[in-house]
Amino acid sequence: MTSVSLNRRDVAGQRALILMLHGGQEISRDPVEQSSGPWRRSLVMQHQITPQAHAAGVGTWLLRYQERGWNDDDAPSPVPDARWALDQVRQQLGELPVVLIGHSMGARTSVRVADDPLVQGVVALAPWLPAEDPVTPLAGKVLAAAHGSTDKITSAKATARFVDRARTAGAKAGFHDMGPVGHYMLRRVRAWNRFAISRALEMVPT
């Protein structure tokens, strides 16, 4: 079994951290190898947004889960991994503000762990946010969601409805239409990057 791990890009004197959570599958117990497409897609984004993050005094970490799948709504596989990563922030960097950037299943995972006191908010990219998922972890937090209108893997309409529900739970939540692009953020790459880093930095306390 592949162990959970972090790809760290720290900066001297960092005042906050962006923790990135990659996508996955609905059901799979396969390990997340370095060849995993969803993990590699988030790795590319990490490389592309880190210079701007570092210029703002913000580090970036990318989590690699143990298993590819969500697997169980009652005990989702990536959620303990994400909580482990937040504990690593505490142990190694102290009470540093954290913004979560999650793609697809990573966005769903981000919402589940948004109740952690370190978390300032969630940037959700082409998120997988089923109607039955709770919005209460986002109470008092910020949610910025972006979705392409031609995504065939997850639903932009479901994301918009989730954003509305998050507002009723006390979150400051917004939805951004990325236009006619699909799920894997392979079109309009710069626009996805701009949305991710700009919204994340807006959530960092001044």
Side-chain angles (χ1 to χ4, degrees):
M1 176 66 69
T2 300
S3 298
V4 61
S5 64
L6 289 162
N7 192 64
R8 294 181 54 165
R9 295 291 181 266
D10 294 298
V11 61
Q14 61 194 19
R15 61 191 182 93
L17 182 74
I18 292 170
L19 175 60
M20 301 180 67
L21 305 181
H22 63 82
Q25 299 173 231
E26 184 173 358
I27 299 173
S28 175
R29 295 291 182 182
D30 291 340
V32 180
E33 306 286 0
Q34 290 196 359
S35 59
S36 165
W39 180 81
R40 292 186 67 82
R41 178 64 190 88
S42 289
L43 181 65
V44 169
M45 177 175 279
Q46 183 190 24
H47 289 328
Q48 292 170 335
I49 69 173
T50 291
Q52 190 172 344
H54 280 187
V58 177
T60 68
W61 290 9
L62 170 60
L63 175 66
R64 179 156 59 105
Y65 316 127
Q66 296 182 76
E67 298 179 348
R68 294 185 182 185
W70 181 262
N71 296 324
D72 184 345
D73 284 344
D74 292 328
S77 295
V79 170
D81 295 344
R83 293 204 184 278
W84 171 85
L86 290 166
D87 286 341
Q88 292 302 301
V89 177
R90 283 191 181 83
Q91 294 173 21
Q92 301 187 37
L93 301 177
E95 298 295 311
L96 202 67
V98 175
V99 175
L100 304 173
I101 296 179
H103 173 233
S104 191
M105 187 182 77
R108 190 179 188 186
T109 305
S110 296
V111 169
R112 288 293 179 98
V113 303
D115 56 357
D116 188 288
L118 293 185
V119 175
Q120 309 299 303
V122 173
V123 180
L125 307 175
W128 174 28
L129 297 171
E132 66 273 13
D133 272 19
V135 293
T136 50
L138 290 164
K141 307 295 174 80
V142 183
L143 171 65
H147 219 128
S149 59
T150 54
D151 190 330
K152 304 299 184 184
I153 306 298
T154 56
S155 167
K157 291 181 179 179
T159 296
R161 289 192 293 268
F162 191 91
V163 166
D164 289 340
R165 289 177 54 221
R167 292 192 188 109
T168 69
K172 181 181 179 181
F175 176 83
H176 182 74
D177 183 356
M178 292 296 293
V181 296
H183 186 69
Y184 298 104
M185 304 185 297
L186 300 177
R187 294 180 58 197
R188 301 194 67 209
V189 171
R190 291 182 180 178
W192 285 107
N193 289 345
R194 282 196 303 270
F195 181 88
I197 189 61
S198 64
R199 296 305 194 277
L201 292 180
E202 287 172 4
M203 296 179 195
V204 172
T206 55

